[in-house]
Structure formats: structure tokens, C-alpha cells
């Protein structure tokens, strides 16, 4: 049997591979990041925040937890959520093409990938009107 | 006195076939206590020892990838029940590299349940019913 491991990168990279180059809305492509650059664009998707716990069998390790997919938009006029919601809609369609669909997370194996909950964060000032929509997915990886 | 990690204890069917991918196993030993209370018992219930029996309940996460000769998957357990396979030596004991007391006796798979809940791993649970005396063993 395999040794105990950290599956965070396998999962984040699996989500990134599904999304990267494919998040397009209204003929505009949006960047997808596993780690944010110092100078990020106004609008992007960020895959982050893996929380994991091991709860396997007597013979092997199973990893349960959650991961966040964040859609961030910045509109200097106002914190309008329409664009963020549209991008989130595209992201959801890519990650869950059907009810039972799971994507490749090799070398780990993704068994369950399920939408768990949703949250939003709005930051406003004279210079920014940033909207962050956060989809939280639960997973089972072996 | 040191505690013992339950992960080290497995359920074995046949001489070496460990039930694969279990999460829990419980050995239960019973004796019937037949009531022999009479009017002369002074108001206290009395009993005598009756039939003894034992069983092992187990549950785990369904995994059919390890169908090796030294492990037993839910598929093989289900097939054994369907085929009404004869009883075999069963044991509740630590693995071969761990010291500790175990117990063994002939038993038969009585049931297995596979449960496929939505958006979670398939689970299984089942029971081995003892068909002969249960005896303590040391390690193996």
C-alpha cells in the first residue's frame, strides 16, 4: 500500500488543468491561478484553500476535505457581481460536466468531487470594487 | 498496560485471507443464560449456562483493486455466500508481525451488505457466524 502523503497539489493541479485556457465568457479568456502573481489582472480564477483529513481503512489511506475555487472580479465603478457570476457559471460547467464526473488528479485518484457550499466577499473603496465568489467543493481522494 | 491500535487487528477467513479494506471489526461472544428462577430463589433471578455462540461483524470501504491471494474483497465474500461455501477457519487477530492475543474458530459468511450512497465511497458490512468452538490464539 502507498505511504501517507499530501494530496493538495495533485488536487489543485487537477482543477487547474481542467480550467486553464478554458474559462471563456463573452469572448474573453480569464486567467486561472494556482498561486497568485504579485500583479494579478482585475478578473481571474484562483484555486486554493485545500483542507484535508485522512480517514481511510485498515489497509489504505483515504483523503477527505474541501477545496476552494475563487472567482475574483474588480470593477472600479461598482461591485457588480454579474461578471463574477457568469465566470463562476463557466467554471462550474467545466468542473462538473455531469453529476458523476470527476477529473484526473494523477498520481492521486479522485473518487468524489462534490459541490459543498458557496460564499461571497465584497470589498469596496474609492479605487476598487472587488467581488470574490467562493465555491467550496468536497472531495474524496485515494 | 499499553493500549493496542485497532488498525492492527484484522478479520481472517481461511488460513491467511485477510478481509480487505475494512474500517472496523467486532468479535461478539454470547452465552445463553437460561432462567431457572423458582419460588425458592429468594426473590433473585437465577440462571444456568446455555448455548455459546460467536460472530464477527465487519465493515469497510468497497475496493475491488486488491483481489490478491492473501486478501478477500467484498466480491469474493458475496460469491462465497451465493455459492453457500462451506465454513472455514476464521480469526479475529493481529497481523502476523504484531504480538497479541487473537481468537479463531470455524465460521461461515452469514451476510454482506453493499451500500452505494450518493457522492461518497461505496461501503460494505457483513457478518461471519461461528460454527464451532472459539479458541484463543497467540499472534498467529
Amino acid at each position: 500500500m502507498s505511504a501517507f502523503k499530501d494530496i493538495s497539489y495533485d488536487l489543485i493541479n487537477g482543477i487547474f488543468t481542467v480550467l486553464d485556457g478554458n474559462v471563456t465568457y463573452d469572448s474573453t479568456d480569464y486567467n486561472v491561478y494556482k498561486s497568485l502573481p504579485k500583479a494579478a489582472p482585475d478578473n481571474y480564477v484562483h484555486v486554493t484553500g485545500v483542507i484535508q483529513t485522512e480517514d481511510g481503512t485498515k489497509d489504505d489511506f483515504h483523503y477527505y476535505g474541501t477545496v476552494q475555487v475563487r472567482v475574483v472580479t474588480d470593477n472600479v465603478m461598482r461591485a457588480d457581481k454579474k461578471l463574477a457570476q457568469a465566470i463562476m457559471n463557466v467554471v462550474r460547467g467545466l468542473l462538473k460536466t455531469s453529476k458523476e464526473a470527476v477529473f484526473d488528479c494523477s498520481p492521486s485518484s479522485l473518487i468524489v468531487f462534490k459541490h459543498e457550499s458557496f460564499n461571497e466577499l465584497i470589498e469596496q473603496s474609492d479605487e476598487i470594487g472587488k467581488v470574490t465568489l467562493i465555491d467550496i467543493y468536497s472531495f474524496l481522494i485515494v | 498496560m499499553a493500549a493496542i491500535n485497532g488498525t492492527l487487528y484484522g478479520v481472517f477467513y481461511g488460513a491467511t485471507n485477510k478481509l480487505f479494506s475494512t474500517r472496523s471489526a467486532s468479535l461478539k461472544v454470547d452465552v445463553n443464560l437460561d432462567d431457572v428462577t423458582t419460588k425458592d430463589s429468594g426473590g433473585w433471578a437465577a440462571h444456568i449456562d446455555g448455548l455459546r455462540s460467536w460472530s464477527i461483524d465487519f465493515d469497510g470501504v468497497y475496493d475491488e483493486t486488491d483481489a490478491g491471494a492473501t486478501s478477500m474483497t467484498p466480491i469474493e465474500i458475496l460469491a462465497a455466500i451465493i455459492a453457500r461455501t462451506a465454513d472455514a477457519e476464521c480469526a479475529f487477530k493481529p497481523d502476523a508481525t504484531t504480538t497479541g492475543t487473537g481468537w479463531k474458530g470455524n465460521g461461515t459468511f452469514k451476510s454482506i451488505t453493499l451500500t452505494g450512497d450518493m457522492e461518497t465511497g461505496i461501503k460494505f458490512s457483513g457478518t461471519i457466524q461461528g460454527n464451532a468452538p472459539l479458541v484463543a490464539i497467540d499472534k498467529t
Side-chain angles (χ1 to χ4, degrees):
Chain A
M1 295 295 112
S2 58
F4 185 48
K5 62 183 180 180
D6 181 358
I7 54 78
S8 303
Y9 183 79
D10 295 348
L11 178 62
I12 288 176
N13 194 54
I15 296 172
F16 173 81
T17 302
V18 171
L19 299 180
D20 188 40
N22 296 316
V23 181
T24 303
Y25 172 70
D26 202 15
S27 301
T28 301
D29 296 329
Y30 294 95
N31 289 354
V32 180
Y33 295 111
K34 292 181 280 190
S35 55
L36 286 179
K38 286 185 177 178
D42 288 343
N43 309 314
Y44 59 88
V45 178
H46 186 202
V47 184
T48 186
V50 175
I51 298 174
Q52 59 177 303
T53 182
E54 195 284 318
D55 189 20
T57 69
K58 293 184 179 184
D59 298 300
D60 212 350
F61 298 106
H62 293 179
Y63 304 91
Y64 296 84
T66 57
V67 60
Q68 296 180 13
V69 179
R70 294 174 167 238
V71 172
V72 180
T73 61
D74 193 355
N75 185 321
V76 293
M77 300 299 292
R78 58 182 174 178
D80 184 4
K81 290 190 283 188
K82 182 181 178 183
L83 176 61
Q85 288 166 336
I87 296 172
M88 183 62 87
N89 188 44
V90 173
V91 168
R92 287 182 176 186
L94 291 168
L95 290 176
K96 293 293 288 183
T97 55
S98 67
K99 183 72 176 179
E100 72 278 12
V102 291
F103 45 83
D104 180 55
C105 275
S106 57
S108 298
S109 295
L110 182 63
I111 307 300
V112 173
F113 189 73
K114 174 194 170 199
H115 187 259
E116 190 70 34
S117 62
F118 171 82
N119 212 334
E120 69 177 36
L121 182 66
I122 297 176
E123 303 167 74
Q124 287 179 295
S125 71
D126 291 341
E127 297 178 349
I128 64 168
K130 184 177 284 188
V131 173
T132 304
L133 302 185
I134 307 169
D135 256 349
I136 299 174
Y137 293 88
S138 60
F139 63 84
L140 164 58
I141 286 177
V142 298
Chain B
M1 177 182 174
I4 300 174
N5 186 341
T7 303
L8 300 173
Y9 270 69
V11 179
F12 293 77
Y13 183 80
T16 57
N17 291 331
K18 181 184 177 185
L19 269 57
F20 183 63
S21 200
T22 61
R23 288 172 59 96
S24 178
S26 306
L27 171 65
K28 183 181 181 185
V29 184
D30 275 320
V31 58
N32 282 340
L33 299 176
D34 296 324
D35 185 19
V36 291
T37 308
T38 68
K39 292 180 180 180
D40 299 316
S41 297
W44 291 93
H47 63 262
I48 58 171
D49 292 344
L51 292 173
R52 291 162 289 176
S53 64
W54 62 272
S55 62
I56 299 172
D57 293 329
F58 54 87
D59 66 69
V61 180
Y62 182 81
D63 185 347
E64 58 187 24
T65 57
D66 192 321
T70 58
S71 61
M72 196 161 191
T73 67
I75 297 173
E76 294 166 313
I77 296 170
L78 198 150
I81 293 173
I82 291 174
R84 296 197 287 196
T85 302
D87 62 354
E89 181 183 296
C90 300
F92 179 87
K93 64 179 185 178
D95 64 44
T97 60
T98 307
T99 58
T101 303
W103 295 266
K104 70 177 182 179
N106 269 31
T108 310
F109 283 113
K110 182 174 184 293
S111 67
I112 185 166
T113 302
L114 304 180
T115 305
D117 287 330
M118 188 173 69
E119 304 288 16
T120 186
I122 296 177
K123 306 289 198 308
F124 70 90
S125 61
T127 301
I128 292 173
Q129 184 70 51
N131 194 32
L134 186 71
V135 297
I137 54 176
D138 183 18
K139 191 176 177 179
T140 57

